[in-house]
Amino acid sequence: MFYISIVRHNKDEPIYKQIYRWFQQEILSGRLSADTPLPSKRSLAQTLSVSQNSVLAAYMQLNTEGYIYTIERKGYFVERLEPLSLGASPLLALPESTPQPSYEYIYSFSHMSVDASRFPFKQWYKSEQAATEANRRSWADIDPPAGSQRLRTAISYSVRQMRGVTCQPEQIIIGASTQVLLQQLTQLLGPDRSYALENPGYQRIRQMLEQNGERTELLSVDNQGLQTEALQQQKTINTVIVTPSHQMPVGAIMPISRRIQLLNWCYEQTGRYVIEDDYDSEFRYEGDMIPALQSLDHHGRVIYMGTYSKSLLPGLRISYMVLPPDLLDLFHQKCAHLMQTASSLHQQTLAHFIENGEYRKHIRRMSRHYGEVREHLIYEIQDIFGKKAVIQGEKSGLHFLLHVQTHETLPSILHRAALNGLELYGLDRFMKYPKQAPPTLVIGFALLEKEYVSKAVEVLYHSCFP
Amino acid sequence: MFYISIVRHNKDEPIYKQIYRWFQQEILSGRLSADTPLPSKRSLAQTLSVSQNSVLAAYMQLNTEGYIYTIERKGYFVERLEPLSLGASPLLALPESTPQPSYEYIYSFSHMSVDASRFPFKQWYKSEQAATEANRRSWADIDPPAGSQRLRTAISYSVRQMRGVTCQPEQIIIGASTQVLLQQLTQLLGPDRSYALENPGYQRIRQMLEQNGERTELLSVDNQGLQTEALQQQKTINTVIVTPSHQMPVGAIMPISRRIQLLNWCYEQTGRYVIEDDYDSEFRYEGDMIPALQSLDHHGRVIYMGTYSKSLLPGLRISYMVLPPDLLDLFHQKCAHLMQTASSLHQQTLAHFIENGEYRKHIRRMSRHYGEVREHLIYEIQDIFGKKAVIQGEKSGLHFLLHVQTHETLPSILHRAALNGLELYGLDRFMKYPKQAPPTLVIGFALLEKEYVSKAVEVLYHSCFP
């Protein structure tokens, strides 16, 4: 007979489970060999002084999982199993993660953040309530690959008003991030692609493309954005990814002459496309908004990409692209199997938030706030740095460049800043091959409070000129 | 002098904008040629009877966008621009979408849905409030590629308790969907992969892998799930994607003998992996939960994939995978550039929802509810179909198969069901090459209300036997 040690009144493991687990381990370890008969329910229950129901429940579970088999009127027998290699411990050793130096930041010039403390959570949750009540039934399913129809309609109006982008709701494809959408887009554009990227530029896009095996070429950027003339030399390029409204990270606004050059390059050969990454141009401080490149394109060669990461919250994970009609057809053929990546709840909430005017209100409010911080910041930098620093690309968005005339190296500046509680990044992280040059800093101001501007600039100055 | 028609008191377009737009169009069309001088602010303002400020604002914007240039003390001049090809209409014709027949469904046997009407929105929003207040500052940034640390910790406890999966929080990677995570995983596993897929099985996974250029092999499924013996023949396979707890769509529970075979196959050669897709096994109706395959693997060769699409709501878009330690290292090397796809708000909310016990409560409540519907449904089917139908794979999850002995074809059955308001799907959509055979239906019951069960089964019967 078997000896099974039963712990009574064990809250974590009822008696049937203890019996089950004992047999499971005996069978897996091979101590109970194939075709061994199990004791009858009655006799085991008696031996262990437990109820027959406990034994029955254990046997049923062992049978369901295939540890034992049953022959009618004869009882249960141990299943014939290959031996399984069991390790010493089910908890494997984790690799030692490279320790990240962690600093306590007091001020931040991060270009990756937004000011979430001013996000109208109350209005957002009101829209969420309205969306929940309006759509209770629809939460049972997932949104289609292109996204919620209601949100696509809301975006098509909003992006026309705010960015001059002309499109129908059907052209809008929603996804969790620009990266996810770009991944889908590379599928649509097919394998014979060579992507031109801005240098300096957004490295996560380049890394993703390269990891997917796509060919990439780097094109230089100056104070007018991407140098479009270079496209005439690089004959293999047929797709350009560009940030014309506020170059990332240089901040340049691409003038109309280059925009026309870019579009004409596109029209010269079939199959050429421009992907316009319009990541933060909702915020503009001098003059009117700069219309999107897409608004000039009447031939369906510009793919516009927008996001709510900067204008609302990055954590919502809602971006979109506007596909030209010919790619739209291909999308429905090639991407029908892809699951929508953006939250349905957030999509419906955002649709309400745009429809009831809260989105525009938020943009107006934040433009004013960011504008004030920016003005104060530029004033302080000019006051303290004088001729030792030059600001570039400050006309819109949430960051600008600061070229500093110092003999200090970029790493030493960043290190000193971090030690003094200042989060700070350099231009080098936007380059595939960072070059040695007078240090250029990327100054984001979304996380900076007005009252800390002077102090932060002071720390910045002493990091550059110790 | 220029003739510009100004509409005063135009709410949609202020005067400066009308002046700007007039010049923009004249310059783009080439009617104003390069280097043409613009009238002085004063003279144009006088001619048009508008304020000088309106003209100044228009000129500034034209200058910022590069339509005109300025020479000090001489004024503004038209920029030299290439001609741009302008189409007739900025709104391109959309391709005609293939018209989808749309039916008004009264009852649904969809296997893709959950019962959202019973989702505890109130408790969810309470967790959301708590999460918002606890993390206000953190909404400024995006979560790291692996996901929120707090949620990863909550999941590591929950998945051990509910599925027997042993892991540390560091091993958990969060993403918007199983598809997104699998895409990342293929990057980690590298290019020399040959993926074995269940047939019948989940086609969106196969389509995604094939579109990414991965090699796939189909392995048959019987009433014990994937036929693991076939792995011995197909020598090139080194990665198996499998649904052992409730095979999708057959519903089979893979017995321990095959689980051991599968693991031993994995241990035979380095570089072999099993990807366990555990999509709906939170719901179980007879006996205890079937422990995950991962719980048997002490060598780090099983990659476990879980989701909240079935257990909570598909629209939340939160799934996760549990990486073995060696792949974890690779993840930090190769996926650092990938942006997190799941919403931060939902991640924090879910962490609270799990921590305060609401998640377990919801699973218990829904298991009871689904269990009742399922029992009633099976009873009705057996009652009405008698020997004309056989049920398979009903022990857990939210669907089972129904093999019907009829001379009617599957398309005619589905068509008749749709006409009678019944949403219904066949086994064929889970096959790459659907075969002609007596029709097999996939009966999902998450959307079915108890009081409609008899009526739905009646419509089902008459669709099969008109």
Side-chain angles (χ1 to χ4, degrees):
Chain A
M1 206 57 208
F2 302 111
Y3 176 72
I4 307 178
S5 148
I6 297 287
V7 181
R8 273 151 231 281
H9 313 298
N10 182 342
K11 245 192 73 190
D12 293 331
E13 201 168 46
I15 289 170
Y16 84 90
K17 195 92 191 222
Q18 297 179 46
I19 301 172
Y20 157 83
R21 199 166 44 81
W22 187 87
F23 277 104
Q24 182 196 34
Q25 280 163 12
E26 293 300 296
I27 295 170
L28 276 183
S29 68
R31 287 190 292 271
L32 273 180
S33 56
D35 305 322
T36 307
L38 267 62
S40 76
K41 279 165 293 191
R42 219 176 61 168
S43 78
L44 187 61
Q46 238 165 19
T47 317
L48 301 177
S49 299
V50 301
S51 80
Q52 283 199 40
N53 277 341
S54 293
V55 179
L56 178 64
Y59 282 10
M60 296 266 283
Q61 186 70 16
L62 289 164
N63 188 44
T64 303
E65 295 185 32
Y67 286 95
I68 59 177
Y69 62 92
T70 174
I71 299 177
E72 224 175 320
R73 279 169 225 255
K74 291 213 169 159
Y76 292 97
F77 300 85
V78 173
E79 187 67 74
R80 178 169 301 279
L81 300 176
E82 292 178 16
L84 172 69
S85 153
L86 293 169
S89 151
L91 268 188
L92 297 159
L94 290 182
E96 290 203 19
S97 54
T98 39
Q100 291 287 328
S102 89
Y103 299 102
E104 280 289 324
Y105 292 128
I106 311 168
Y107 328 98
S108 172
F109 283 136
S110 165
H111 56 278
M112 294 172 282
S113 309
V114 302
D115 182 348
S117 69
R118 282 180 172 75
F119 183 77
F121 277 104
K122 213 176 118 193
Q123 283 77 9
W124 179 260
Y125 287 141
K126 235 168 132 176
S127 291
E128 191 176 61
Q129 283 295 339
T132 310
E133 277 151 36
N135 296 280
R136 223 158 217 277
R137 201 67 225 210
S138 77
W139 304 126
D141 296 301
I142 186 179
D143 277 310
S148 135
Q149 188 54 39
R150 183 163 181 171
L151 178 57
R152 293 161 80 199
T153 305
I155 290 177
S156 74
Y157 285 107
S158 166
V159 73
R160 181 186 309 205
Q161 227 174 18
M162 298 182 75
R163 306 291 306 119
V165 170
T166 322
C167 66
Q168 288 164 263
E170 290 72 20
Q171 289 174 259
I172 292 178
I173 310 293
I174 293 163
S177 68
T178 304
Q179 243 182 8
V180 163
L181 292 168
L182 197 59
Q183 175 107 29
Q184 294 179 11
L185 193 53
T186 57
Q187 301 266 354
L188 296 187
L189 295 176
D192 295 323
R193 288 283 148 188
S194 179
Y195 291 87
L197 302 172
E198 295 170 324
N199 182 36
Y202 194 49
Q203 294 303 294
R204 286 174 191 251
I205 293 289
R206 179 185 59 74
Q207 287 162 329
M208 189 198 77
L209 289 171
E210 289 177 359
Q211 203 164 79
N212 289 354
E214 303 286 351
R215 267 169 304 166
T216 57
E217 299 274 357
L218 299 179
L219 296 188
S220 295
V221 161
D222 59 22
N223 61 3
Q224 301 200 327
L226 183 79
Q227 292 181 348
T228 44
E229 318 84 67
L231 286 169
Q232 301 304 333
Q233 275 89 64
Q234 308 261 22
K235 292 293 180 198
T236 56
I237 293 170
N238 50 19
T239 321
V240 176
I241 304 182
V242 69
T243 52
S245 299
H246 187 232
Q247 203 274 335
M248 183 73 178
V250 170
I253 298 168
M254 185 183 273
I256 185 72
S257 53
R258 284 204 182 164
R259 291 179 186 232
I260 291 175
Q261 265 178 14
L262 193 54
L263 292 178
N264 281 340
W265 166 84
C266 223
Y267 301 155
E268 260 168 36
Q269 272 184 34
T270 55
R272 284 182 176 173
Y273 285 98
V274 173
I275 300 169
E276 175 179 23
D277 182 5
D278 198 39
Y279 64 99
D280 79 346
S281 43
E282 289 85 0
F283 303 112
R284 171 127 181 88
Y285 312 107
E286 294 173 12
D288 256 26
M289 65 110 166
I290 308 293
L293 178 65
Q294 196 266 9
S295 68
L296 278 178
D297 169 35
H298 293 185
H299 298 278
R301 294 289 135 200
V302 174
I303 299 142
Y304 177 89
M305 297 219 155
T307 177
Y308 293 93
S309 289
K310 297 283 180 181
S311 62
L312 290 174
L313 289 179
L316 292 179
R317 308 278 71 214
I318 302 185
S319 295
Y320 60 96
M321 59 181 170
V322 181
L323 288 183
D326 60 331
L327 289 180
L328 196 58
D329 223 8
L330 217 55
F331 179 85
H332 292 300
Q333 283 168 39
K334 280 190 152 185
C335 294
H337 67 282
L338 289 179
M339 309 295 283
Q340 174 57 235
T341 48
S343 153
S344 306
L345 249 81
H346 288 343
Q347 286 189 62
Q348 294 297 333
T349 303
L350 178 56
H352 279 76
F353 198 77
I354 294 174
E355 286 166 13
N356 61 27
E358 290 294 343
Y359 179 64
R360 272 185 82 85
K361 248 193 258 173
H362 178 62
I363 295 292
R364 265 204 304 273
R365 203 164 37 220
M366 294 310 292
S367 289
R368 207 157 45 230
H369 166 72
Y370 287 141
E372 283 168 18
V373 175
R374 170 188 161 281
E375 197 176 339
H376 190 30
L377 176 60
I378 291 173
Y379 176 84
E380 287 286 329
I381 289 176
Q382 285 170 339
D383 189 46
I384 296 188
F385 281 77
K387 290 195 167 169
K388 290 177 182 167
V390 177
I391 290 170
Q392 183 185 3
E394 77 284 11
K395 287 200 174 161
S396 61
L398 298 175
H399 75 269
F400 52 76
L401 289 193
L402 191 67
H403 303 279
V404 188
Q405 307 295 330
T406 176
H407 297 294
E408 297 294 314
T409 64
L410 187 55
S412 77
I413 294 174
L414 300 184
H415 181 64
R416 246 188 320 273
L419 286 181
N420 285 294
L422 178 66
E423 187 178 9
L424 183 64
Y425 300 96
L427 184 61
D428 58 334
R429 59 160 46 211
F430 293 91
M431 296 180 183
K432 187 173 180 180
Y433 311 107
K435 44 181 180 200
Q436 293 288 346
T440 301
L441 304 167
V442 182
I443 305 292
F445 48 83
L447 272 186
L448 204 61
E449 288 294 329
K450 244 194 300 182
E451 54 266 44
Y452 293 117
V453 168
S454 332
K455 188 68 194 143
V457 172
E458 207 177 291
V459 175
L460 179 66
Y461 183 83
H462 289 297
S463 304
C464 296
F465 303 97
Chain B
M1 206 56 207
F2 303 112
Y3 176 72
I4 308 177
S5 148
I6 298 287
V7 180
R8 273 151 230 281
H9 314 298
N10 182 341
K11 246 191 70 188
D12 293 329
E13 202 169 44
I15 288 170
Y16 83 91
K17 195 95 190 218
Q18 297 179 46
I19 300 171
Y20 156 83
R21 199 167 44 80
W22 187 87
F23 276 104
Q24 182 198 32
Q25 280 163 10
E26 293 300 296
I27 295 169
L28 277 181
S29 67
R31 285 190 293 270
L32 274 180
S33 56
D35 305 319
T36 306
L38 267 62
S40 75
K41 281 167 289 189
R42 217 175 63 169
S43 79
L44 186 61
Q46 238 167 17
T47 316
L48 301 178
S49 300
V50 301
S51 79
Q52 283 197 38
N53 277 342
S54 294
V55 179
L56 177 65
Y59 282 11
M60 297 265 284
Q61 186 69 16
L62 288 165
N63 188 44
T64 302
E65 295 186 32
Y67 287 96
I68 59 176
Y69 62 92
T70 174
I71 299 175
E72 224 174 319
R73 278 169 228 254
K74 290 214 169 162
Y76 290 99
F77 301 85
V78 172
E79 187 66 75
R80 178 168 303 278
L81 300 176
E82 291 178 19
L84 172 69
S85 151
L86 293 168
S89 150
L91 269 187
L92 297 159
L94 290 182
E96 289 203 21
S97 55
T98 38
Q100 291 287 330
S102 90
Y103 299 102
E104 279 290 325
Y105 292 128
I106 310 169
Y107 329 98
S108 172
F109 282 136
S110 165
H111 55 279
M112 295 172 280
S113 309
V114 301
D115 183 347
S117 68
R118 283 179 171 74
F119 184 76
F121 277 104
K122 212 176 121 194
Q123 283 77 8
W124 179 262
Y125 288 140
K126 237 169 134 174
S127 291
E128 189 176 63
Q129 284 295 338
T132 309
E133 277 150 35
N135 295 281
R136 224 159 217 277
R137 200 71 226 210
S138 79
W139 303 127
D141 297 300
I142 187 178
D143 276 309
S148 136
Q149 188 54 38
R150 182 163 182 171
L151 178 58
R152 292 161 80 199
T153 305
I155 290 177
S156 74
Y157 286 107
S158 165
V159 73
R160 181 186 310 204
Q161 227 175 18
M162 299 182 74
R163 306 292 305 120
V165 170
T166 322
C167 65
Q168 289 165 261
E170 290 73 20
Q171 289 174 260
I172 292 179
I173 311 293
I174 292 163
S177 69
T178 303
Q179 241 183 11
V180 163
L181 292 167
L182 196 59
Q183 175 108 31
Q184 294 178 13
L185 193 54
T186 57
Q187 302 265 353
L188 297 185
L189 296 176
D192 294 323
R193 288 283 149 190
S194 179
Y195 291 87
L197 302 172
E198 295 171 324
N199 181 34
Y202 193 50
Q203 294 303 294
R204 286 173 190 252
I205 294 290
R206 179 185 59 74
Q207 287 162 329
M208 190 198 76
L209 288 171
E210 290 178 358
Q211 202 164 80
N212 288 356
E214 303 287 352
R215 266 170 307 167
T216 58
E217 298 274 359
L218 298 179
L219 295 188
S220 294
V221 162
D222 61 21
N223 60 4
Q224 301 200 329
L226 183 80
Q227 292 182 350
T228 44
E229 317 85 67
L231 286 169
Q232 301 304 334
Q233 274 89 65
Q234 308 260 23
K235 291 293 180 197
T236 56
I237 293 170
N238 51 18
T239 321
V240 176
I241 304 181
V242 68
T243 52
S245 299
H246 187 232
Q247 202 274 335
M248 183 75 181
V250 169
I253 298 168
M254 185 184 273
I256 185 71
S257 54
R258 286 204 181 165
R259 290 177 187 234
I260 291 175
Q261 265 179 14
L262 193 53
L263 292 178
N264 282 339
W265 166 84
C266 223
Y267 302 153
E268 260 168 36
Q269 273 184 33
T270 54
R272 284 183 177 172
Y273 285 97
V274 173
I275 300 169
E276 175 179 21
D277 181 5
D278 198 37
Y279 63 100
D280 79 347
S281 43
E282 289 85 0
F283 303 112
R284 171 128 179 87
Y285 312 107
E286 293 173 14
D288 256 25
M289 66 113 165
I290 308 294
L293 178 65
Q294 196 266 10
S295 69
L296 278 177
D297 169 35
H298 294 185
H299 298 278
R301 293 289 135 201
V302 174
I303 299 143
Y304 176 88
M305 298 221 156
T307 177
Y308 293 93
S309 288
K310 298 282 181 183
S311 62
L312 290 175
L313 289 179
L316 292 179
R317 308 277 71 214
I318 302 186
S319 296
Y320 60 96
M321 59 181 171
V322 181
L323 287 183
D326 60 330
L327 289 180
L328 196 58
D329 225 9
L330 216 54
F331 178 84
H332 292 300
Q333 283 167 39
K334 281 190 152 185
C335 294
H337 67 281
L338 290 180
M339 308 297 282
Q340 174 57 236
T341 49
S343 153
S344 306
L345 248 83
H346 288 343
Q347 286 188 64
Q348 294 297 333
T349 303
L350 178 56
H352 279 76
F353 197 76
I354 293 173
E355 286 166 14
N356 60 27
E358 290 294 344
Y359 180 64
R360 273 185 83 84
K361 245 191 262 175
H362 178 63
I363 295 293
R364 265 205 303 275
R365 204 165 36 220
M366 292 310 291
S367 289
R368 206 156 47 229
H369 166 73
Y370 287 140
E372 283 169 16
V373 175
R374 170 187 160 280
E375 198 176 337
H376 190 31
L377 177 60
I378 290 173
Y379 176 84
E380 287 287 329
I381 288 175
Q382 286 169 339
D383 190 46
I384 295 187
F385 282 78
K387 293 199 164 164
K388 289 176 181 166
V390 176
I391 290 170
Q392 184 185 1
E394 76 285 12
K395 286 198 176 162
S396 60
L398 299 176
H399 75 269
F400 52 75
L401 289 192
L402 191 67
H403 302 278
V404 188
Q405 307 296 329
T406 177
H407 295 295
E408 296 295 313
T409 64
L410 186 55
S412 78
I413 294 174
L414 301 184
H415 180 64
R416 242 184 328 266
L419 286 181
N420 286 295
L422 178 65
E423 187 178 10
L424 183 65
Y425 300 96
L427 185 60
D428 59 334
R429 59 161 44 212
F430 293 91
M431 296 180 183
K432 187 172 179 182
Y433 310 107
K435 45 183 179 196
Q436 294 287 347
T440 301
L441 304 168
V442 182
I443 306 291
F445 47 84
L447 271 187
L448 203 61
E449 287 295 329
K450 243 193 302 183
E451 54 266 44
Y452 293 117
V453 167
S454 333
K455 189 65 194 149
V457 172
E458 205 176 293
V459 174
L460 180 65
Y461 183 82
H462 289 296
S463 303
C464 296
F465 302 98

